[in-house]
Amino acid sequence: WLILVPRRPGLIELIDMDPKEQVQLLAEIDAAARVLKSVTECEKLNIAALGNVVAQLHVHVVARRHSDAAWPKPVWGVCPPTAYNPTVRNGLIGALRRGLQIERLSG
């Protein structure tokens, strides 16, 4: 699960961005989603900009599997959050960083 936050304070909606910024955000969502799917080998990606609790514009990119506890429902509010094992967490972060670096260099 990744969350992308544009570096512009005060943005609430996608339409608050100019078209060039929207294109950049879409490219960043694309890169993040491709790397997350590759690293997690998930079956489905959920991509959403809801902002009902936190108004600041942010985009969730969530890797899903048919076997996850919330499937097929949205991930929010179905199960209490649980922390990653630190070793697993650090491995995932490292793989995502490497993947995003490769994506950035090739794009």
Side-chain angles (χ1 to χ4, degrees):
W1 187 330
L2 299 173
I3 299 175
L4 285 73
V5 182
R7 292 182 183 180
R8 289 239 346 258
L11 290 178
I12 305 295
E13 307 292 348
L14 287 168
I15 59 173
D16 295 338
M17 303 173 86
D18 67 41
K20 184 177 176 184
E21 292 171 324
Q22 291 175 5
V23 168
Q24 180 179 345
L25 178 58
L26 185 56
E28 292 171 0
I29 292 167
D30 177 81
R34 288 177 187 280
V35 170
L36 186 62
K37 185 167 184 155
S38 174
V39 167
T40 65
E41 298 179 344
C42 64
E43 297 160 346
K44 178 73 177 114
L45 289 168
N46 291 171
I47 300 173
L50 301 173
N52 296 338
V53 175
V54 176
Q56 170 67 43
L57 178 60
H58 60 285
V59 178
H60 299 262
V61 182
V62 185
R64 301 292 307 273
R65 289 194 177 80
H66 294 106
S67 61
D68 75 44
W71 188 267
K73 298 178 181 115
V75 293
W76 292 277
V78 174
C79 303
T82 56
Y84 274 96
N85 169 296
T87 303
V88 173
R89 179 198 63 220
N90 294 341
L92 178 58
I93 290 169
L96 291 168
R97 284 182 173 157
R98 286 187 298 278
L100 288 167
Q101 182 66 26
I102 291 168
E103 191 69 28
R104 191 176 75 172
L105 292 173
S106 66

